[in-house]
Amino acid sequence: MEKAHGTGQALGRRAVLRSSLAVAGAAALPPLAAAAPAQALSGRPSADWGVQAGDVTTSSGLVWVRSDRRARMVVETSATESFRTVHRWTGPLVGPETDFTGRTALRGLPPGEEIHYRVLLADPDDPRRTGRPVYGTFRTAPALRKDVRFVWSGDLAGQGWGINPDRGGYRIFEQMRRLDPDFFLCSGDNIYADNPIAPSVVLPDGSTWRNVTTEEKSKVAETLAEFRGAFRYNLLDANLRRFNAQVPAIVQWDDHEVHNNWYPGQILDDARYAEKRVDVLSARSLRAFTEYFPVSTHRPDADGRVYRVLRHGPLLDVFVLDMRTYRNANSPGRQPDDTQGILGARQLRWLKRQLSRSRAVWKVIAADMPLGLVVTDGPVNFEAVAQGDPGAPLGRELQIAELLRHIKHRRITGTVWLTADVHYTSAQHYDPARAAFKDFAPFWEFVSGPLNAGGFPAVKLDGTFGPEQPFVRAPATANVPPGQGSQFFGEVAIDAEGGELTVRLRDEDGATLFTKVLQPGRVGQ
């Protein structure tokens, strides 16, 4: 029987969002959305872009806000939504150097508890002058065994399909919010910096798709201001703001945060761009990415990396990969020796080390690209891991083979791969009995998405790691717009009592399309 996870708290969590929903309508704009901060009317600072929480652990979390002008960020937390007793956290002074965004780290929080928070923005010259508080909630990770539920997907506002007020904006976020998950894993392509948003698109049946538009999204993103505007665009949707205020996020990035299929050192052959150097564009995008999400890039090795592990109590560790920043150039992928691969040597060593140290029952490997699905980049090159040759590992497959061999020989149990990228949903089971490379234990990979982007037909499987696909749901034609059975998300539920992990692949309306229950304590499934 399905457990009603968090239902006792759901009403309270929804009630505390009252200030976050002051702007009515699914795709209503923040009142100052069209005004630059310098043009804002005089008065108290305002946080019309909502709040977000992210990278939540048993004792900490990050809270994000954006002001309409210079302001001091202040966060107050409470065990109840009445806020009768509060703990105050003084955050940064936000200004133009961060596009008026700020993050405040909350530490020393109680494990496994509902945290009610509100963000105040204070006039830096008169701290008594504060704007209207904006409310949010999140649950800290449990210290003891407790049911876990989270959702994942990726790919937002792609192929020119933006916020359509006629269909209620980004409707999928409301479906995910209603499940009251502990967190949301966003598997990349949070924006489409290379896909402008036009005011309207004529559909094949002659009808018109309407988009909310902004100046920054009228062209490809090249400047820092344009990348910031691309991230800010999605926050015009009230469904997403409501979701952000209730569900903390674990966010990773992929290609469309910069440019389709990019890799380090690439020089673009794209007439739309005056700046052709991908390294310049990716640095600007990464800065905007870290400004617009509650994600910390401060690591012990101080290299500003996005890859990290989030520990969610004794049942779950989430290993967040970066399969973009350290990859080699896209190629036919037939080289017999490839130490850089798609992860880079340093990230691979880190992942092997952290998987070996993990004591969690389940180790979710959050990959922004699938393993055995053949994703092409032009007529001869390949974008992901697989390159269509079903034989022994070559190219980027060598690095994945090394990782899978490590998992088997170290007898690391409970690994599950979650990904997005291909704009459909599917389940793949990998088994050495079917594979050319056999030195690994069986495992599952689940694909979901897009959130609000074009749907695309399924791609081929590569036999190197022996994938079998018991489920796939994909459009028959390319770039099917949202609202035509082309949008998907996934849900993962872990039962505290028995430890089983259940994956459900769902459509935009929340209907379950496929279910798989995995048993704990096994090297392979």
Side-chain angles (χ1 to χ4, degrees), residues 37-51:
Q39 299 170 320
L41 298 176
S42 61
R44 300 171 186 260
S46 180
D48 295 305
W49 302 91
V51 289

Side-chain angles (χ1 to χ4, degrees), residues 49-365:
W49 302 91
V51 289
Q52 304 178 60
D55 282 12
V56 171
T57 70
T58 55
S59 61
S60 66
L62 282 171
V63 171
W64 175 97
V65 77
R66 183 177 191 265
S67 178
D68 66 336
R69 67 200 73 196
R70 291 180 69 253
R72 173 69 64 182
M73 179 183 181
V74 177
V75 182
E76 293 181 340
T77 62
S78 176
T80 64
E81 60 182 292
S82 68
F83 285 86
R84 291 188 60 184
T85 302
V86 301
H87 185 98
R88 173 169 281 215
W89 313 77
T90 301
L93 182 66
V94 303
E97 63 278 359
T98 62
D99 201 29
F100 300 90
T101 67
R103 297 172 299 183
T104 298
L106 312 182
R107 297 186 175 91
L109 302 174
E113 295 292 335
E114 187 85 3
I115 305 298
H116 298 265
Y117 70 91
R118 60 189 178 195
V119 178
L120 300 167
L121 293 173
D123 186 328
D125 300 318
D126 183 359
R128 296 170 299 178
R129 289 175 54 81
T130 61
R132 186 183 62 196
V134 183
Y135 293 79
T137 65
F138 62 87
R139 285 188 288 268
T140 51
L144 303 175
R145 289 176 72 105
K146 187 176 181 181
D147 289 356
V148 177
R149 184 188 303 272
F150 68 93
V151 292
W152 95 93
S153 188
D155 313 304
L156 186 58
Q159 290 73 51
W161 310 114
I163 302 168
N164 185 344
D166 297 335
R167 67 184 307 267
Y170 295 158
R171 292 167 40 187
I172 197 168
F173 284 98
E174 179 61 15
Q175 292 297 334
M176 294 192 295
R177 187 190 70 83
R178 290 176 180 177
L179 293 173
D180 195 28
D182 294 306
F183 63 88
F184 169 52
L185 170 62
C186 190
S187 302
D189 289 350
N190 299 271
I191 63 168
Y192 280 69
D194 54 337
N195 287 185
I197 300 291
S200 62
V201 181
V202 178
L203 300 176
D205 64 1
S207 62
T208 299
W209 171 285
R210 291 197 305 128
N211 284 315
V212 171
T213 60
T214 65
E215 180 180 351
E216 294 91 348
K217 283 300 296 175
S218 66
K219 66 178 291 291
V220 297
E222 298 179 81
T223 67
L224 177 59
E226 288 164 352
F227 280 109
R228 285 168 166 170
F231 284 102
R232 192 164 58 246
Y233 174 83
N234 289 325
L235 296 176
L236 296 175
D237 182 74
N239 292 309
L240 179 55
R241 296 198 306 275
R242 182 186 301 114
F243 180 82
N244 287 343
Q246 180 175 327
V247 183
I250 299 175
V251 184
Q252 59 193 136
W253 78 333
D254 193 32
D255 58 334
H256 286 287
E257 279 82 2
V258 180
H259 186 277
N260 186 44
N261 297 351
W262 74 272
Y263 51 83
Q266 183 182 17
I267 303 299
L268 295 181
D269 181 17
D270 188 330
R272 300 175 300 170
Y273 285 79
E275 176 56 74
K276 307 287 188 180
R277 297 168 296 173
V278 159
D279 289 354
V280 173
L281 297 172
S282 63
R284 292 169 180 169
S285 178
L286 182 59
R287 177 172 172 178
F289 174 89
T290 57
E291 289 171 344
Y292 270 85
F293 290 111
V295 54
S296 174
T297 55
H298 298 295
R299 310 281 173 235
D301 50 18
D303 68 350
R305 57 183 168 86
V306 172
Y307 67 85
R308 60 206 188 276
V309 57
L310 276 299
R311 307 196 187 280
H312 199 85
L315 289 176
L316 176 65
D317 283 348
V318 181
F319 299 85
V320 183
L321 303 188
D322 181 350
M323 304 175 83
R324 187 59 52 181
T325 306
Y326 311 102
R327 63 165 55 201
N328 49 20
N330 292 349
S331 73
R334 265 47 174 198
Q335 57 268 40
D337 183 20
D338 189 351
T339 56
Q340 185 174 355
I342 199 166
L343 298 174
R346 184 178 184 179
Q347 183 177 190
L348 178 61
R349 290 195 301 270
W350 167 87
L351 180 57
K352 290 163 66 176
R353 183 172 62 250
Q354 292 296 332
L355 283 168
S356 297
R357 292 175 178 174
S358 175
R359 296 297 175 263
V361 174
W362 294 100
K363 294 94 174 166
V364 164
I365 301 176

